[in-house]
Amino acid sequence: MKEAAGIIAAAKPGFKPNVGIILGSGLGPMAQDVTDATVLDYRGLPGFPQPSVEGHAGLLSLGKIGETAVAVLQGRGHFYEHGRADAMKVPVRALHAIGCETLILTNAGGSLDPAMGPGSVMMITDHINLVQSSPLFDEAGNSRFVDMVGAYDAGLQQHARDAAQATGVMLHEGIYVWFSGPQFETAAEIRFARMVGGTAIGMSTVPEVILARQAGMKVAGFSIITNFGAGMSDTPLSHEQTMSVAATAAVELRRLLNHMIAGLGA
Ligand code: HPA
């Protein structure tokens, strides 16, 4: 991790980002909103995942959104690529090491709420780690016993609500349920996730939240809703469908996040 953090810090001397942002499927274009950007390829960063998923570029941009210094990761590693939850261990820890005290996570997800259709934006207020895997499985010592209560920072949630109001974005809120993927869920799994209190489902983000909380970073999470969960509608599920809807909903989340992040640096 130290090696990657050293390379990143050396790429922009004197620059210290406060906010790290991980862009999921469909939100990649938001990296264009970073001004005065220095862009690094994950291939030059030891321990960073080599993205295999369409829509995940594998680029890190250092620069500003408004007056806020940011490090934007375009693309993530997923549990379903190899069955390990630690794919983002080095990137999250490197962001913390170079100065990020806040981590904003985005993803594409399916909806469990009939009133939250494709194209919606949902702020994650809590999650259910249904996969029951952890990026901390191979760790020793007491720091692995991370307190996950209030993992999604209340202050950041309020910033997001204010930004939604200011930008006219309809912001849903709810519980994100992590499924491993890469297959989509069965209709019975979706009924189960609804029954246990889930609002959205997805295949990412939860490991990164655990890592960030262990590091003491404040966390915010957002899902772009690309579809209803399996069995809730007649539309067949596919990655192509996820990508095409994500692109539309991403416009709204991008507007909200730009406003929110610009306000965090002051
Ligand atoms: N399930 C899991 N992950 C997803 C979905 C879904 O329906 N849509 C987008 N990501």
Side-chain angles (χ1 to χ4, degrees):
M1 182 279 285
K2 290 212 172 71
E3 202 184 346
I7 295 169
I8 298 166
K12 208 171 176 79
F15 177 79
K16 184 181 159 301
N18 314 109
V19 180
I21 304 156
I22 299 182
L23 300 177
S25 301
L27 267 173
M30 195 174 157
Q32 293 158 13
D33 301 331
V34 179
T35 55
D36 188 26
T38 302
V39 181
L40 305 179
D41 195 303
Y42 287 6
R43 280 175 291 201
L45 300 171
F48 271 56
Q50 303 311 314
S52 69
V53 187
E54 198 188 323
H56 287 258
L59 299 172
L60 164 60
S61 303
L62 303 168
K64 289 195 161 186
I65 292 180
E67 286 305 305
T68 307
V70 296
V72 178
L73 294 185
Q74 223 176 322
R76 57 158 53 94
H78 301 81
F79 179 84
Y80 62 69
E81 292 172 68
H82 34 56
R84 292 191 318 274
D86 64 357
M88 293 299 284
K89 194 176 211 167
V90 168
V92 171
R93 290 183 178 171
L95 288 178
H96 182 246
I98 60 172
C100 294
E101 286 158 8
T102 296
L103 184 63
I104 298 179
L105 298 156
T106 67
N107 61 44
S111 173
L112 299 173
D113 176 356
M116 181 173 74
S120 301
V121 177
M122 188 191 94
M123 174 163 69
I124 303 173
T125 55
D126 205 347
H127 74 227
I128 295 175
N129 179 351
L130 194 62
V131 177
Q132 281 296 291
S133 188
S134 171
L136 308 178
F137 272 171
D138 63 350
E139 302 233 326
N142 289 348
S143 70
R144 72 186 123 167
F145 300 111
V146 180
D147 184 349
M148 293 297 292
V149 175
Y152 297 84
D153 187 76
L156 289 175
Q157 288 185 41
Q158 196 50 50
H159 277 299
R161 288 183 198 109
D162 294 346
Q165 185 108 49
T167 53
V169 173
M170 167 73 194
L171 184 62
H172 296 260
E173 300 188 12
I175 315 270
Y176 179 84
V177 185
W178 180 31
F179 278 86
S180 77
Q183 72 288 344
F184 286 106
E185 297 71 28
T186 64
E189 286 166 343
I190 292 300
R191 284 196 298 275
F192 170 81
R194 292 179 70 178
M195 234 183 287
V196 296
T199 319
I201 50 195
M203 306 178 191
S204 69
T205 304
V206 166
E208 291 130 79
V209 176
I210 296 169
L211 289 162
R213 289 306 301 142
Q214 185 194 37
M217 299 163 94
K218 289 186 194 172
V219 171
F222 300 89
S223 297
I224 287 175
I225 300 299
T226 55
N227 56 275
F228 281 116
M232 290 175 68
S233 88
D234 295 333
T235 314
L237 301 179
S238 70
H239 189 62
E240 290 70 26
Q241 201 259 354
T242 296
M243 293 300 297
S244 74
V245 180
T248 325
V251 174
E252 296 263 295
L253 180 54
R254 184 173 169 182
R255 200 163 79 232
L256 184 159
L257 283 180
N258 275 325
H259 192 278
M260 173 181 168
I261 293 163
L264 291 178

